Amino acid sequence: MNPHRLYRTTRAVLVSAVGLSQCATAGAQVQDGSRVRPAAEARLPGLESMTGLLRAPSAYVPGRREVTLLASGSHRTMAGALLGFDERGEIGINSGGENGGGTGLNAKINLVPETLLLPAVSAGVLNAFGTSGANRSGYLVVSKYVIPYFVEALTGKRNLAVKLHAGYGGGLYRNQPFVGAEVWSGNGVAALGEVVAGRVNVGARYSHRGYGVTLGLLEGKRLGGSVSCTVTLQ
Amino acid sequence: MTTIRQRIHPLSRTFILTVIGAVGFAGAVAADFLPQPPKATTPLEERGRHILQIASACGCHGANFAGWKEGRPDLFPRAAPFGERFVGTFGTIPASNITQDPYSGIRDWTDRDIELAITDGIAPGGYRLSPIMPSRAYHGMARSDVKALVAYLRRLRPVTNPVPERAMTVEPQAGADLPPAPDSAPTEPVALGRYLVENVSACVDCHAAEESAHGTAKLTGRVLETSGGRVLAPNLTTDRIVGIGRWSQRDIARYLRTGTRPDGGLAQSAMAGLILTSYSKLTAEEADAIAAYLKALPPERGDHK
């Protein structure tokens, strides 16, 4: 491995390990049962340091005062943080990456909040200033969460939740539509599938009380994953 | 220099516009797809329709108001569009058919019969309804609203569905006397909110501590048995840890009408069904009034586990 890349990868892993361990301590202090979202509603990051599936973004943003620390690795290894503001947007910052990639800034704004009937609609940008190894990528995305109660009404299956996503983006998304789906079981495990830039990615995700692990098989040939911890600041 | 418009391919622009249009269209279709009670033909019936909708849409009786159907699941959501059947140590109580069907519904009941069933839990012949029917909450419903509700119940389409008899281990008894109902609904926001919480939308039925009587109910939450297992109907007082003390009045009103929580998540379980079929029909003033009343409650904690 290129020594420069090895250094950046090691740095990202160490930053992630320290950050997540601090997050775990803080999480234990500030999370109480009444404020933890259902697992299927967790605003988990994918592999691109933003709330989403694997490479596709979702229209969801972290809640007010929610901070997520994350580490991810696929074509590039990153450590980063996501901050939600006023339930209407998120700012993500990440460091690491290939080709000497530096620090990148992601942003997403929720244009239409989700209701029981209407989906959420958001617009965002990855690597807004073109400063990391990723392409600058603007996108528009629509997401709908079908809660377990309605899945049971429609299918008779208990404790399943479904989240559907569809959007369009440039850059990483190559000026093409993208779609994705998550099927959540009652024990906090989800199966993920998405089509991004005409390529299929599949994966799995686990969420428990603010912690998340996402693993994926990208384009049928490359593995990727992320770990994250979310705390709500008092 | 290229503009954003030039950089987006025309087909992609079409896609984006299609997605945005589809979102609105899907919402409209989904809203229409939900079972709707029949239209009213007079202002009195219109008021009755509104009361029925915000009174949990008389949901136990089903979206078609025909009561529980033999052979179907006991509880929502799988019992829909028919009503629910409640099974417990108290016995087996199927929701009755309240449509205008002459054989299995209430077409032959007089208006006074229906009023007494709603507000006092007494059916024709002195037959006492089970306490699952929230008559003690509805006892405080304004007389004008009860009359409007009865007028609208006459509009319900007849559905023939003979509901089996209930089987209770202990027959229901008359409760303590309750204060008389007002002639009309209050208009002052907090009083209107209390009226809706206690006497119309019957929030107390799920959110009040089990032993409390109507009128003195503390909305400190309760554990409910549902088809999906035990569900906590949360504490609705202003306690900042276990209650909704962190929610603003606007948060509460928005939640009631859309199901969107302050953290951006959605209402869950039976509350989601209730919001879709019932509380989303609250007017902005009514939702604000409920929120104002809940925000006026002192913080309290229940002892449920």
Side-chain angles (χ1 to χ4, degrees), chain A residues 32 34-35 37-38 41 43 60-66 87-88 112-119 121 140 142 144-150 152-154 156-159 166-168 175-178 234, chain B residues 7-9 12-13 15-16 19-20 23-24 26-28 30-31 33-34 75-78 227-228 240-242 246 251 254 258-276:
Chain A
D32 60 73
S34 62
R35 301 189 66 204
R37 298 172 187 274
E41 276 191 16
R43 275 46 169 148
Y60 300 117
V61 294
R64 188 181 299 167
R65 294 191 293 273
E66 275 186 12
E87 294 105 37
R88 297 309 290 267
V112 180
E114 185 174 31
T115 70
L116 285 170
L117 276 181
L118 287 174
V121 182
L140 176 76
V142 177
K144 185 75 198 90
Y145 173 40
V146 187
I147 65 169
Y149 190 78
F150 296 147
E152 186 182 343
L154 294 169
K157 306 277 185 201
R158 279 186 187 156
N159 298 323
Y168 169 86
N175 294 324
Q176 289 181 29
F178 56 83
Q234 295 285 33
Chain B
R7 288 173 63 181
I8 299 178
H9 189 278
S12 302
R13 283 205 299 270
F15 174 80
I16 292 171
V19 167
I20 292 170
V23 169
F33 183 74
L34 293 170
L75 298 175
F76 292 143
R78 290 194 285 174
S227 65
R240 289 178 65 81
I241 302 298
V242 299
R246 292 171 192 268
D251 288 339
R254 182 178 77 152
T258 67
T260 305
R261 298 194 312 258
D263 66 0
L266 296 180
Q268 298 288 319
S269 197
M271 188 63 186
L274 280 171
I275 288 172
L276 267 193

Side-chain angles (χ1 to χ4, degrees), chain A residues 2-233:
Chain A
N2 175 328
H4 188 67
R5 187 174 180 195
L6 179 63
Y7 162 72
R8 288 189 174 280
T9 303
T10 307
R11 188 183 66 176
V13 169
L14 284 175
V15 168
S16 311
V18 171
L20 290 171
S21 65
Q22 292 300 306
C23 184
T25 310
Q29 289 169 350
V30 303
Q31 293 201 1
D32 60 73
S34 62
R35 301 189 66 204
V36 175
R37 298 172 187 274
E41 276 191 16
R43 275 46 169 148
L44 297 177
L47 308 183
E48 301 294 341
S49 192
M50 65 181 169
T51 312
L53 289 94
L54 293 162
R55 304 193 77 183
S58 71
Y60 300 117
V61 294
R64 188 181 299 167
R65 294 191 293 273
E66 275 186 12
V67 178
T68 298
L69 297 180
L70 63 105
S72 68
S74 58
H75 58 298
R76 55 196 192 117
T77 308
M78 287 188 295
L82 282 175
L83 173 66
F85 53 92
D86 205 27
E87 294 105 37
R88 297 309 290 267
E90 76 177 27
I91 293 282
I93 188 163
N94 61 77
S95 178
E98 61 186 356
N99 305 326
T103 301
L105 184 76
N106 303 332
K108 189 194 297 186
I109 186 153
N110 178 231
L111 305 172
V112 180
E114 185 174 31
T115 70
L116 285 170
L117 276 181
L118 287 174
V121 182
S122 293
V125 60
L126 272 176
N127 192 19
F129 300 111
T131 47
S132 78
N135 293 326
R136 183 185 300 164
S137 313
Y139 60 84
L140 176 76
V141 60
V142 177
S143 296
K144 185 75 198 90
Y145 173 40
V146 187
I147 65 169
Y149 190 78
F150 296 147
V151 173
E152 186 182 343
L154 294 169
T155 68
K157 306 277 185 201
R158 279 186 187 156
N159 298 323
L160 280 182
V162 176
K163 285 158 102 172
L164 303 169
H165 314 272
Y168 169 86
L172 176 70
Y173 307 108
R174 298 187 187 170
N175 294 324
Q176 289 181 29
F178 56 83
V179 293
E182 304 169 58
V183 180
W184 285 86
S185 68
N187 53 12
V189 177
L192 312 180
E194 64 181 23
V195 180
V196 174
R199 297 192 168 120
V200 177
N201 306 319
V202 295
R205 173 169 272 177
Y206 176 68
S207 170
H208 179 69
R209 292 182 68 86
Y211 301 94
V213 179
T214 302
L215 295 171
L217 178 63
L218 308 177
E219 302 165 18
K221 59 187 178 190
R222 198 169 65 233
L223 290 173
S226 73
V227 291
S228 65
C229 170
T230 300
V231 293
T232 305
L233 304 177

Side-chain angles (χ1 to χ4, degrees), chain B residues 119-140:
Chain B
T119 60
D120 293 85
I122 298 171
Y127 179 77
R128 196 165 284 283
L129 303 180
S130 86
I132 289 175
M133 168 70 184
S135 305
R136 292 184 69 75
Y138 297 154
H139 189 83

Side-chain angles (χ1 to χ4, degrees), chain B residues 18-104:
Chain B
T18 305
V19 167
I20 292 170
V23 169
F25 182 71
V29 168
D32 275 350
F33 183 74
L34 293 170
Q36 301 287 339
K39 291 202 181 331
T41 55
T42 66
L44 183 68
E45 287 178 6
E46 193 57 58
R47 175 67 183 170
R49 184 176 193 263
H50 180 67
I51 292 294
L52 178 141
Q53 287 186 307
I54 65 174
S56 308
C58 297
C60 298
H61 298 277
N64 60 7
F65 306 100
W68 180 72
K69 186 173 179 65
E70 197 150 20
R72 289 189 69 86
D74 282 342
L75 298 175
F76 292 143
R78 290 194 285 174
F82 286 88
E84 295 188 290
R85 180 174 71 160
F86 304 94
V87 180
T89 51
F90 50 79
T92 302
I93 303 169
S96 59
N97 184 337
I98 58 168
T99 71
Q100 289 296 300
D101 183 66
Y103 309 106
S104 53

